[in-house]
Amino acid sequence: MARGKIQIKRIENTTKKANELTVLYDAKVSIIMFSSTGKLHKIEQSTKQFFDQYQMTLGVDIWNSHYENMQENLKKLKEVNRNLRKEFRMGDCLNELGMEDLRLLEEGMDKAAKVVRERKVRLIICSSFCFT
């Protein structure tokens, strides 16, 4: 039997087309499409169920490896953050700051020192009057 030519045209009803594929191939279909305008079109049984079945069939765990990658990235970012905070406390990063940045930093430190002094005074006053 020879194959005839078919006319390729825009699919107007994507849900109908997905259902036709499901019936035609007796298969589960999950489609995620973005139009040229960036609009998202999803036709699926359930994307999570679809990927769960996919990984069971292939014997892989895509969620776990993705989670492990995110955990490793988080660990690296925490280390970078820790190092930056340490540099800041030691003053090592001050060499790159200009006059205005240094002035703003000094103001912030003065405000923080004021808060610490006020808290310290409250504790001293409370300890003097609360235990007499």
Side-chain angles (χ1 to χ4, degrees):
M1 185 163 125
R3 293 186 180 187
K5 289 186 178 182
I6 61 167
Q7 181 183 8
I8 297 176
K9 60 182 179 179
R10 178 182 293 269
I11 299 171
E12 297 299 329
N13 186 341
T14 53
T15 304
K16 182 174 181 286
K17 186 53 70 175
N19 289 334
E20 287 175 7
L21 288 170
T22 301
V23 171
L24 183 62
Y25 293 106
D26 189 28
K28 294 179 182 174
V29 175
S30 183
I31 300 172
I32 301 172
M33 298 181 300
F34 292 95
S35 70
S36 58
T37 60
K39 185 178 176 186
L40 172 67
H41 300 277
K42 286 181 11 176
I43 300 103
E44 83 275 335
Q45 60 195 31
S46 159
T47 306
K48 182 170 180 351
Q49 287 175 346
F50 194 80
F51 281 110
D52 287 346
Q53 185 174 357
Y54 171 80
Q55 64 185 8
M56 279 184 1
T57 303
L58 293 182
V60 296
D61 190 349
I62 56 177
W63 306 119
N64 196 34
S65 62
H66 185 66
Y67 176 78
E68 288 172 359
N69 289 340
M70 289 188 334
Q71 288 291 72
E72 188 61 34
N73 192 29
L74 177 63
K75 185 178 173 183
K76 289 176 186 175
L77 290 173
K78 282 184 176 181
E79 182 63 28
V80 167
N81 188 6
R82 197 173 12 263
N83 290 337
L84 287 172
R85 287 176 181 269
K86 183 178 176 183
E87 281 180 29
F88 187 76
R89 281 194 306 266
M90 300 298 182
D92 295 342
C93 61
L94 298 179
N95 293 333
E96 290 92 35
L97 296 180
M99 184 58 97
E100 182 62 18
D101 292 330
L102 288 170
R103 188 185 66 72
L104 292 172
L105 178 61
E106 184 179 24
E107 280 181 17
M109 291 173 64
D110 287 342
K111 288 178 184 175
K114 182 180 176 187
V115 170
V116 169
R117 282 191 292 275
E118 289 172 354
R119 173 72 177 137
K120 187 173 145 185
V121 167
R122 281 196 304 270
L123 286 174
I124 291 170
I125 292 171
C126 182
S127 66
S128 298
F129 291 111
C130 293
F131 297 112
T132 57

mmCIF file of all heavy atoms in Angstrom, residues 22-70:
data_model
loop_
_atom_site.group_PDB
_atom_site.id
_atom_site.type_symbol
_atom_site.label_atom_id
_atom_site.label_comp_id
_atom_site.label_asym_id
_atom_site.label_seq_id
_atom_site.Cartn_x
_atom_site.Cartn_y
_atom_site.Cartn_z
ATOM 1 N N THR A 22 -3.238 9.805 21.121
ATOM 2 C CA THR A 22 -3.479 8.800 22.153
ATOM 3 C C THR A 22 -4.263 7.622 21.586
ATOM 4 O O THR A 22 -3.918 6.462 21.807
ATOM 5 C CB THR A 22 -4.254 9.428 23.334
ATOM 6 O OG1 THR A 22 -3.480 10.499 23.857
ATOM 7 C CG2 THR A 22 -4.503 8.427 24.427
ATOM 8 N N VAL A 23 -5.318 7.910 20.829
ATOM 9 C CA VAL A 23 -6.148 6.863 20.246
ATOM 10 C C VAL A 23 -5.393 6.140 19.135
ATOM 11 O O VAL A 23 -5.379 4.906 19.076
ATOM 12 C CB VAL A 23 -7.478 7.457 19.714
ATOM 13 C CG1 VAL A 23 -8.251 6.433 18.914
ATOM 14 C CG2 VAL A 23 -8.309 7.997 20.869
ATOM 15 N N LEU A 24 -4.748 6.903 18.255
ATOM 16 C CA LEU A 24 -4.063 6.325 17.107
ATOM 17 C C LEU A 24 -2.971 5.338 17.519
ATOM 18 O O LEU A 24 -2.831 4.266 16.947
ATOM 19 C CB LEU A 24 -3.459 7.449 16.244
ATOM 20 C CG LEU A 24 -2.772 7.034 14.962
ATOM 21 C CD1 LEU A 24 -3.753 6.356 14.011
ATOM 22 C CD2 LEU A 24 -2.139 8.248 14.281
ATOM 23 N N TYR A 25 -2.188 5.714 18.529
ATOM 24 C CA TYR A 25 -1.057 4.865 18.929
ATOM 25 C C TYR A 25 -1.310 4.089 20.211
ATOM 26 O O TYR A 25 -0.418 3.404 20.707
ATOM 27 C CB TYR A 25 0.199 5.722 19.099
ATOM 28 C CG TYR A 25 0.672 6.287 17.781
ATOM 29 C CD1 TYR A 25 0.491 7.623 17.475
ATOM 30 C CD2 TYR A 25 1.273 5.470 16.834
ATOM 31 C CE1 TYR A 25 0.922 8.138 16.266
ATOM 32 C CE2 TYR A 25 1.702 5.977 15.621
ATOM 33 C CZ TYR A 25 1.521 7.315 15.340
ATOM 34 O OH TYR A 25 1.942 7.816 14.149
ATOM 35 N N ASP A 26 -2.522 4.191 20.765
ATOM 36 C CA ASP A 26 -2.852 3.528 22.022
ATOM 37 C C ASP A 26 -1.745 3.809 23.039
ATOM 38 O O ASP A 26 -1.117 2.909 23.582
ATOM 39 C CB ASP A 26 -3.032 2.016 21.816
ATOM 40 C CG ASP A 26 -3.599 1.354 23.074
ATOM 41 O OD1 ASP A 26 -4.308 2.050 23.836
ATOM 42 O OD2 ASP A 26 -3.309 0.162 23.290
ATOM 43 N N ALA A 27 -1.498 5.076 23.251
ATOM 44 C CA ALA A 27 -0.392 5.485 24.114
ATOM 45 C C ALA A 27 -0.814 6.668 24.980
ATOM 46 O O ALA A 27 -1.791 7.354 24.696
ATOM 47 C CB ALA A 27 0.804 5.881 23.256
ATOM 48 N N LYS A 28 -0.047 6.884 26.039
ATOM 49 C CA LYS A 28 -0.237 8.074 26.862
ATOM 50 C C LYS A 28 0.578 9.192 26.235
ATOM 51 O O LYS A 28 1.709 8.984 25.811
ATOM 52 C CB LYS A 28 0.238 7.814 28.285
ATOM 53 C CG LYS A 28 -0.593 6.777 29.001
ATOM 54 C CD LYS A 28 -0.060 6.535 30.384
ATOM 55 C CE LYS A 28 -0.873 5.457 31.074
ATOM 56 N NZ LYS A 28 -0.298 5.095 32.360
ATOM 57 N N VAL A 29 0.006 10.365 26.181
ATOM 58 C CA VAL A 29 0.668 11.495 25.536
ATOM 59 C C VAL A 29 0.750 12.652 26.520
ATOM 60 O O VAL A 29 -0.216 12.969 27.201
ATOM 61 C CB VAL A 29 -0.112 11.944 24.277
ATOM 62 C CG1 VAL A 29 0.501 13.184 23.671
ATOM 63 C CG2 VAL A 29 -0.163 10.815 23.261
ATOM 64 N N SER A 30 1.911 13.264 26.582
ATOM 65 C CA SER A 30 2.095 14.478 27.367
ATOM 66 C C SER A 30 2.859 15.451 26.494
ATOM 67 O O SER A 30 3.944 15.146 26.009
ATOM 68 C CB SER A 30 2.877 14.181 28.644
ATOM 69 O OG SER A 30 2.985 15.336 29.429
ATOM 70 N N ILE A 31 2.264 16.620 26.268
ATOM 71 C CA ILE A 31 2.875 17.610 25.396
ATOM 72 C C ILE A 31 2.991 18.920 26.161
ATOM 73 O O ILE A 31 2.032 19.367 26.786
ATOM 74 C CB ILE A 31 2.025 17.829 24.119
ATOM 75 C CG1 ILE A 31 1.887 16.517 23.345
ATOM 76 C CG2 ILE A 31 2.641 18.920 23.251
ATOM 77 C CD1 ILE A 31 0.904 16.609 22.194
ATOM 78 N N ILE A 32 4.149 19.515 26.079
ATOM 79 C CA ILE A 32 4.372 20.844 26.631
ATOM 80 C C ILE A 32 4.880 21.688 25.474
ATOM 81 O O ILE A 32 5.919 21.384 24.897
ATOM 82 C CB ILE A 32 5.384 20.831 27.782
ATOM 83 C CG1 ILE A 32 4.890 19.923 28.910
ATOM 84 C CG2 ILE A 32 5.629 22.250 28.294
ATOM 85 C CD1 ILE A 32 5.908 19.687 29.998
ATOM 86 N N MET A 33 4.137 22.733 25.122
ATOM 87 C CA MET A 33 4.509 23.558 23.968
ATOM 88 C C MET A 33 4.509 25.023 24.365
ATOM 89 O O MET A 33 3.754 25.446 25.235
ATOM 90 C CB MET A 33 3.494 23.382 22.837
ATOM 91 C CG MET A 33 3.385 22.002 22.284
ATOM 92 S SD MET A 33 2.192 21.909 20.936
ATOM 93 C CE MET A 33 0.686 22.430 21.709
ATOM 94 N N PHE A 34 5.358 25.785 23.693
ATOM 95 C CA PHE A 34 5.357 27.229 23.826
ATOM 96 C C PHE A 34 5.104 27.808 22.446
ATOM 97 O O PHE A 34 5.761 27.445 21.483
ATOM 98 C CB PHE A 34 6.700 27.732 24.362
ATOM 99 C CG PHE A 34 6.953 27.335 25.785
ATOM 100 C CD1 PHE A 34 7.683 26.196 26.080
ATOM 101 C CD2 PHE A 34 6.453 28.107 26.819
ATOM 102 C CE1 PHE A 34 7.913 25.829 27.399
ATOM 103 C CE2 PHE A 34 6.681 27.741 28.135
ATOM 104 C CZ PHE A 34 7.406 26.605 28.432
ATOM 105 N N SER A 35 4.173 28.720 22.370
ATOM 106 C CA SER A 35 3.875 29.349 21.080
ATOM 107 C C SER A 35 4.955 30.379 20.775
ATOM 108 O O SER A 35 5.805 30.679 21.618
ATOM 109 C CB SER A 35 2.506 30.028 21.131
ATOM 110 O OG SER A 35 2.570 31.165 21.972
ATOM 111 N N SER A 36 4.895 30.936 19.571
ATOM 112 C CA SER A 36 5.873 31.949 19.184
ATOM 113 C C SER A 36 5.749 33.206 20.038
ATOM 114 O O SER A 36 6.692 33.971 20.158
ATOM 115 C CB SER A 36 5.710 32.302 17.704
ATOM 116 O OG SER A 36 4.391 32.761 17.468
ATOM 117 N N THR A 37 4.608 33.375 20.682
ATOM 118 C CA THR A 37 4.422 34.525 21.567
ATOM 119 C C THR A 37 4.821 34.202 23.005
ATOM 120 O O THR A 37 4.733 35.055 23.876
ATOM 121 C CB THR A 37 2.959 34.992 21.559
ATOM 122 O OG1 THR A 37 2.126 33.920 22.014
ATOM 123 C CG2 THR A 37 2.523 35.440 20.182
ATOM 124 N N GLY A 38 5.241 32.969 23.247
ATOM 125 C CA GLY A 38 5.677 32.575 24.580
ATOM 126 C C GLY A 38 4.591 31.999 25.461
ATOM 127 O O GLY A 38 4.823 31.705 26.623
ATOM 128 N N LYS A 39 3.387 31.820 24.913
ATOM 129 C CA LYS A 39 2.284 31.262 25.688
ATOM 130 C C LYS A 39 2.496 29.756 25.878
ATOM 131 O O LYS A 39 2.860 29.050 24.947
ATOM 132 C CB LYS A 39 0.962 31.529 24.986
ATOM 133 C CG LYS A 39 -0.245 31.090 25.796
ATOM 134 C CD LYS A 39 -1.543 31.425 25.096
ATOM 135 C CE LYS A 39 -2.716 30.887 25.878
ATOM 136 N NZ LYS A 39 -3.965 31.060 25.163
ATOM 137 N N LEU A 40 2.272 29.296 27.095
ATOM 138 C CA LEU A 40 2.452 27.888 27.435
ATOM 139 C C LEU A 40 1.177 27.116 27.140
ATOM 140 O O LEU A 40 0.084 27.534 27.501
ATOM 141 C CB LEU A 40 2.798 27.743 28.915
ATOM 142 C CG LEU A 40 2.832 26.328 29.490
ATOM 143 C CD1 LEU A 40 3.973 25.526 28.880
ATOM 144 C CD2 LEU A 40 2.959 26.377 31.003
ATOM 145 N N HIS A 41 1.327 25.965 26.458
ATOM 146 C CA HIS A 41 0.219 25.050 26.199
ATOM 147 C C HIS A 41 0.641 23.685 26.742
ATOM 148 O O HIS A 41 1.691 23.177 26.384
ATOM 149 C CB HIS A 41 -0.055 24.915 24.700
ATOM 150 C CG HIS A 41 -0.411 26.209 24.046
ATOM 151 N ND1 HIS A 41 -1.686 26.718 24.071
ATOM 152 C CD2 HIS A 41 0.344 27.090 23.358
ATOM 153 C CE1 HIS A 41 -1.706 27.859 23.425
ATOM 154 N NE2 HIS A 41 -0.484 28.112 22.978
ATOM 155 N N LYS A 42 -0.181 23.135 27.630
ATOM 156 C CA LYS A 42 0.124 21.818 28.188
ATOM 157 C C LYS A 42 -1.047 20.886 27.934
ATOM 158 O O LYS A 42 -2.180 21.223 28.217
ATOM 159 C CB LYS A 42 0.362 21.893 29.697
ATOM 160 C CG LYS A 42 1.656 22.506 30.079
ATOM 161 C CD LYS A 42 1.933 22.581 31.567
ATOM 162 C CE LYS A 42 1.039 21.836 32.481
ATOM 163 N NZ LYS A 42 1.417 21.885 33.891
ATOM 164 N N ILE A 43 -0.743 19.723 27.413
ATOM 165 C CA ILE A 43 -1.737 18.674 27.267
ATOM 166 C C ILE A 43 -1.078 17.437 27.858
ATOM 167 O O ILE A 43 -0.080 16.955 27.337
ATOM 168 C CB ILE A 43 -2.096 18.406 25.789
ATOM 169 C CG1 ILE A 43 -2.663 19.674 25.136
ATOM 170 C CG2 ILE A 43 -3.104 17.290 25.684
ATOM 171 C CD1 ILE A 43 -1.700 20.344 24.267
ATOM 172 N N GLU A 44 -1.601 16.961 28.949
ATOM 173 C CA GLU A 44 -0.943 15.831 29.576
ATOM 174 C C GLU A 44 -1.905 15.062 30.454
ATOM 175 O O GLU A 44 -2.957 15.555 30.807
ATOM 176 C CB GLU A 44 0.258 16.288 30.401
ATOM 177 C CG GLU A 44 -0.051 16.783 31.783
ATOM 178 C CD GLU A 44 -0.462 18.249 31.874
ATOM 179 O OE1 GLU A 44 -0.118 19.044 31.029
ATOM 180 O OE2 GLU A 44 -1.163 18.566 32.824
ATOM 181 N N GLN A 45 -1.466 13.859 30.795
ATOM 182 C CA GLN A 45 -2.176 13.109 31.807
ATOM 183 C C GLN A 45 -1.867 13.759 33.150
ATOM 184 O O GLN A 45 -2.727 14.135 33.883
ATOM 185 C CB GLN A 45 -1.724 11.644 31.789
ATOM 186 C CG GLN A 45 -0.238 11.487 32.054
ATOM 187 C CD GLN A 45 0.290 10.130 31.703
ATOM 188 O OE1 GLN A 45 -0.198 9.503 30.809
ATOM 189 N NE2 GLN A 45 1.297 9.677 32.392
ATOM 190 N N SER A 46 -0.659 13.874 33.469
ATOM 191 C CA SER A 46 -0.097 14.601 34.604
ATOM 192 C C SER A 46 1.396 14.577 34.341
ATOM 193 O O SER A 46 1.983 13.511 34.158
ATOM 194 C CB SER A 46 -0.412 13.918 35.924
ATOM 195 O OG SER A 46 0.506 14.342 36.905
ATOM 196 N N THR A 47 1.994 15.728 34.289
ATOM 197 C CA THR A 47 3.412 15.780 33.937
ATOM 198 C C THR A 47 4.235 14.954 34.908
ATOM 199 O O THR A 47 5.137 14.230 34.504
ATOM 200 C CB THR A 47 3.899 17.243 33.915
ATOM 201 O OG1 THR A 47 3.038 17.985 33.041
ATOM 202 C CG2 THR A 47 5.313 17.344 33.407
ATOM 203 N N LYS A 48 3.932 15.021 36.202
ATOM 204 C CA LYS A 48 4.694 14.242 37.181
ATOM 205 C C LYS A 48 4.509 12.745 36.935
ATOM 206 O O LYS A 48 5.478 11.994 36.927
ATOM 207 C CB LYS A 48 4.284 14.595 38.599
ATOM 208 C CG LYS A 48 5.124 13.798 39.613
ATOM 209 C CD LYS A 48 4.950 14.266 40.990
ATOM 210 C CE LYS A 48 5.736 13.521 42.023
ATOM 211 N NZ LYS A 48 6.424 12.335 41.703
ATOM 212 N N GLN A 49 3.257 12.317 36.714
ATOM 213 C CA GLN A 49 3.020 10.896 36.429
ATOM 214 C C GLN A 49 3.756 10.468 35.171
ATOM 215 O O GLN A 49 4.317 9.375 35.120
ATOM 216 C CB GLN A 49 1.528 10.632 36.245
ATOM 217 C CG GLN A 49 0.733 10.684 37.510
ATOM 218 C CD GLN A 49 -0.752 10.530 37.225
ATOM 219 O OE1 GLN A 49 -1.192 10.642 36.086
ATOM 220 N NE2 GLN A 49 -1.524 10.290 38.281
ATOM 221 N N PHE A 50 3.763 11.335 34.180
ATOM 222 C CA PHE A 50 4.427 11.029 32.914
ATOM 223 C C PHE A 50 5.925 10.811 33.133
ATOM 224 O O PHE A 50 6.503 9.828 32.681
ATOM 225 C CB PHE A 50 4.184 12.166 31.919
ATOM 226 C CG PHE A 50 4.532 11.820 30.504
ATOM 227 C CD1 PHE A 50 3.674 11.096 29.717
ATOM 228 C CD2 PHE A 50 5.741 12.240 29.961
ATOM 229 C CE1 PHE A 50 3.983 10.778 28.406
ATOM 230 C CE2 PHE A 50 6.067 11.930 28.653
ATOM 231 C CZ PHE A 50 5.190 11.203 27.866
ATOM 232 N N PHE A 51 6.562 11.734 33.875
ATOM 233 C CA PHE A 51 8.000 11.606 34.127
ATOM 234 C C PHE A 51 8.297 10.452 35.086
ATOM 235 O O PHE A 51 9.335 9.797 34.971
ATOM 236 C CB PHE A 51 8.590 12.912 34.645
ATOM 237 C CG PHE A 51 8.822 13.909 33.548
ATOM 238 C CD1 PHE A 51 8.052 15.045 33.452
ATOM 239 C CD2 PHE A 51 9.809 13.701 32.594
ATOM 240 C CE1 PHE A 51 8.261 15.962 32.429
ATOM 241 C CE2 PHE A 51 10.027 14.602 31.575
ATOM 242 C CZ PHE A 51 9.251 15.736 31.491
ATOM 243 N N ASP A 52 7.405 10.197 36.032
ATOM 244 C CA ASP A 52 7.594 9.039 36.911
ATOM 245 C C ASP A 52 7.605 7.746 36.099
ATOM 246 O O ASP A 52 8.442 6.868 36.316
ATOM 247 C CB ASP A 52 6.497 8.987 37.981
ATOM 248 C CG ASP A 52 6.665 10.042 39.058
ATOM 249 O OD1 ASP A 52 7.754 10.641 39.138
ATOM 250 O OD2 ASP A 52 5.700 10.276 39.810
ATOM 251 N N GLN A 53 6.669 7.627 35.166
ATOM 252 C CA GLN A 53 6.628 6.441 34.310
ATOM 253 C C GLN A 53 7.875 6.368 33.436
ATOM 254 O O GLN A 53 8.439 5.301 33.233
ATOM 255 C CB GLN A 53 5.367 6.449 33.452
ATOM 256 C CG GLN A 53 5.206 5.178 32.642
ATOM 257 C CD GLN A 53 3.883 5.127 31.908
ATOM 258 O OE1 GLN A 53 3.050 6.015 32.030
ATOM 259 N NE2 GLN A 53 3.691 4.078 31.142
ATOM 260 N N TYR A 54 8.308 7.517 32.923
ATOM 261 C CA TYR A 54 9.516 7.588 32.089
ATOM 262 C C TYR A 54 10.738 7.075 32.856
ATOM 263 O O TYR A 54 11.493 6.242 32.365
ATOM 264 C CB TYR A 54 9.736 9.040 31.640
ATOM 265 C CG TYR A 54 11.050 9.294 30.948
ATOM 266 C CD1 TYR A 54 11.228 8.975 29.612
ATOM 267 C CD2 TYR A 54 12.109 9.875 31.631
ATOM 268 C CE1 TYR A 54 12.424 9.220 28.962
ATOM 269 C CE2 TYR A 54 13.311 10.129 30.995
ATOM 270 C CZ TYR A 54 13.470 9.808 29.668
ATOM 271 O OH TYR A 54 14.655 10.047 29.045
ATOM 272 N N GLN A 55 10.905 7.542 34.089
ATOM 273 C CA GLN A 55 12.089 7.117 34.838
ATOM 274 C C GLN A 55 11.982 5.664 35.300
ATOM 275 O O GLN A 55 12.992 4.972 35.390
ATOM 276 C CB GLN A 55 12.393 8.068 35.991
ATOM 277 C CG GLN A 55 11.377 8.172 37.071
ATOM 278 C CD GLN A 55 11.755 9.230 38.088
ATOM 279 O OE1 GLN A 55 12.699 9.984 37.906
ATOM 280 N NE2 GLN A 55 11.016 9.290 39.170
ATOM 281 N N MET A 56 10.755 5.171 35.546
ATOM 282 C CA MET A 56 10.605 3.757 35.888
ATOM 283 C C MET A 56 10.974 2.884 34.693
ATOM 284 O O MET A 56 11.635 1.857 34.838
ATOM 285 C CB MET A 56 9.167 3.446 36.332
ATOM 286 C CG MET A 56 8.912 3.804 37.758
ATOM 287 S SD MET A 56 7.272 3.361 38.419
ATOM 288 C CE MET A 56 6.403 2.569 37.126
ATOM 289 N N THR A 57 10.558 3.310 33.501
ATOM 290 C CA THR A 57 10.846 2.551 32.291
ATOM 291 C C THR A 57 12.341 2.498 32.018
ATOM 292 O O THR A 57 12.884 1.447 31.668
ATOM 293 C CB THR A 57 10.123 3.178 31.077
ATOM 294 O OG1 THR A 57 8.726 3.225 31.373
ATOM 295 C CG2 THR A 57 10.355 2.366 29.826
ATOM 296 N N LEU A 58 13.027 3.635 32.190
ATOM 297 C CA LEU A 58 14.466 3.692 31.924
ATOM 298 C C LEU A 58 15.314 3.264 33.111
ATOM 299 O O LEU A 58 16.517 3.047 32.965
ATOM 300 C CB LEU A 58 14.876 5.110 31.513
ATOM 301 C CG LEU A 58 14.342 5.594 30.177
ATOM 302 C CD1 LEU A 58 14.879 6.983 29.885
ATOM 303 C CD2 LEU A 58 14.735 4.653 29.051
ATOM 304 N N GLY A 59 14.700 3.183 34.285
ATOM 305 C CA GLY A 59 15.451 2.799 35.480
ATOM 306 C C GLY A 59 16.364 3.904 35.980
ATOM 307 O O GLY A 59 17.439 3.635 36.507
ATOM 308 N N VAL A 60 15.951 5.152 35.797
ATOM 309 C CA VAL A 60 16.737 6.288 36.284
ATOM 310 C C VAL A 60 15.883 7.092 37.259
ATOM 311 O O VAL A 60 14.666 6.939 37.295
ATOM 312 C CB VAL A 60 17.201 7.220 35.130
ATOM 313 C CG1 VAL A 60 18.133 6.496 34.197
ATOM 314 C CG2 VAL A 60 16.023 7.791 34.380
ATOM 315 N N ASP A 61 16.537 7.920 38.036
ATOM 316 C CA ASP A 61 15.830 8.763 38.991
ATOM 317 C C ASP A 61 16.183 10.212 38.697
ATOM 318 O O ASP A 61 17.122 10.764 39.251
ATOM 319 C CB ASP A 61 16.219 8.394 40.426
ATOM 320 C CG ASP A 61 15.335 9.067 41.457
ATOM 321 O OD1 ASP A 61 14.558 9.972 41.072
ATOM 322 O OD2 ASP A 61 15.415 8.707 42.636
ATOM 323 N N ILE A 62 15.429 10.841 37.787
ATOM 324 C CA ILE A 62 15.758 12.201 37.378
ATOM 325 C C ILE A 62 15.478 13.207 38.487
ATOM 326 O O ILE A 62 16.164 14.212 38.585
ATOM 327 C CB ILE A 62 15.013 12.601 36.079
ATOM 328 C CG1 ILE A 62 13.512 12.437 36.230
ATOM 329 C CG2 ILE A 62 15.525 11.828 34.906
ATOM 330 C CD1 ILE A 62 12.704 12.880 35.025
ATOM 331 N N TRP A 63 14.506 12.952 39.337
ATOM 332 C CA TRP A 63 14.196 13.897 40.413
ATOM 333 C C TRP A 63 15.317 13.904 41.434
ATOM 334 O O TRP A 63 15.726 14.972 41.892
ATOM 335 C CB TRP A 63 12.873 13.531 41.099
ATOM 336 C CG TRP A 63 11.714 13.393 40.160
ATOM 337 C CD1 TRP A 63 10.967 12.274 39.957
ATOM 338 C CD2 TRP A 63 11.174 14.392 39.279
ATOM 339 N NE1 TRP A 63 9.993 12.511 39.012
ATOM 340 C CE2 TRP A 63 10.109 13.814 38.577
ATOM 341 C CE3 TRP A 63 11.493 15.703 39.003
ATOM 342 C CZ2 TRP A 63 9.350 14.507 37.639
ATOM 343 C CZ3 TRP A 63 10.747 16.396 38.063
ATOM 344 C CH2 TRP A 63 9.689 15.789 37.400
ATOM 345 N N ASN A 64 15.805 12.739 41.798
ATOM 346 C CA ASN A 64 16.841 12.648 42.821
ATOM 347 C C ASN A 64 18.136 13.300 42.347
ATOM 348 O O ASN A 64 18.775 14.023 43.091
ATOM 349 C CB ASN A 64 17.080 11.191 43.213
ATOM 350 C CG ASN A 64 17.851 11.076 44.505
ATOM 351 O OD1 ASN A 64 17.699 11.900 45.391
ATOM 352 N ND2 ASN A 64 18.671 10.059 44.617
ATOM 353 N N SER A 65 18.528 13.047 41.099
ATOM 354 C CA SER A 65 19.770 13.640 40.606
ATOM 355 C C SER A 65 19.637 15.160 40.523
ATOM 356 O O SER A 65 20.570 15.894 40.833
ATOM 357 C CB SER A 65 20.150 13.052 39.252
ATOM 358 O OG SER A 65 19.158 13.326 38.285
ATOM 359 N N HIS A 66 18.456 15.637 40.131
ATOM 360 C CA HIS A 66 18.224 17.086 40.092
ATOM 361 C C HIS A 66 18.296 17.670 41.504
ATOM 362 O O HIS A 66 18.909 18.717 41.725
ATOM 363 C CB HIS A 66 16.872 17.383 39.453
ATOM 364 C CG HIS A 66 16.590 18.828 39.252
ATOM 365 N ND1 HIS A 66 17.310 19.605 38.371
ATOM 366 C CD2 HIS A 66 15.679 19.648 39.830
ATOM 367 C CE1 HIS A 66 16.852 20.850 38.423
ATOM 368 N NE2 HIS A 66 15.854 20.895 39.296
ATOM 369 N N TYR A 67 17.702 16.977 42.466
ATOM 370 C CA TYR A 67 17.736 17.416 43.859
ATOM 371 C C TYR A 67 19.170 17.439 44.377
ATOM 372 O O TYR A 67 19.594 18.388 45.036
ATOM 373 C CB TYR A 67 16.868 16.491 44.717
ATOM 374 C CG TYR A 67 16.914 16.810 46.182
ATOM 375 C CD1 TYR A 67 16.192 17.885 46.703
ATOM 376 C CD2 TYR A 67 17.681 16.040 47.049
ATOM 377 C CE1 TYR A 67 16.236 18.175 48.047
ATOM 378 C CE2 TYR A 67 17.729 16.333 48.405
ATOM 379 C CZ TYR A 67 17.015 17.403 48.896
ATOM 380 O OH TYR A 67 17.068 17.691 50.226
ATOM 381 N N GLU A 68 19.937 16.405 44.063
ATOM 382 C CA GLU A 68 21.335 16.352 44.498
ATOM 383 C C GLU A 68 22.144 17.492 43.889
ATOM 384 O O GLU A 68 22.976 18.104 44.574
ATOM 385 C CB GLU A 68 21.961 15.007 44.129
ATOM 386 C CG GLU A 68 21.450 13.862 44.974
ATOM 387 C CD GLU A 68 21.919 12.500 44.472
ATOM 388 O OE1 GLU A 68 22.633 12.445 43.452
ATOM 389 O OE2 GLU A 68 21.557 11.500 45.111
ATOM 390 N N ASN A 69 21.894 17.817 42.611
ATOM 391 C CA ASN A 69 22.584 18.946 41.978
ATOM 392 C C ASN A 69 22.238 20.256 42.667
ATOM 393 O O ASN A 69 23.115 21.096 42.889
ATOM 394 C CB ASN A 69 22.237 19.036 40.492
ATOM 395 C CG ASN A 69 22.851 17.924 39.682
ATOM 396 O OD1 ASN A 69 23.821 17.291 40.101
ATOM 397 N ND2 ASN A 69 22.290 17.668 38.519
ATOM 398 N N MET A 70 20.962 20.430 43.009
ATOM 399 C CA MET A 70 20.556 21.651 43.698
ATOM 400 C C MET A 70 21.186 21.728 45.093
ATOM 401 O O MET A 70 21.616 22.798 45.523
ATOM 402 C CB MET A 70 19.030 21.722 43.800
ATOM 403 C CG MET A 70 18.362 21.980 42.476
ATOM 404 S SD MET A 70 16.569 22.310 42.489
ATOM 405 C CE MET A 70 15.949 21.520 43.924
#
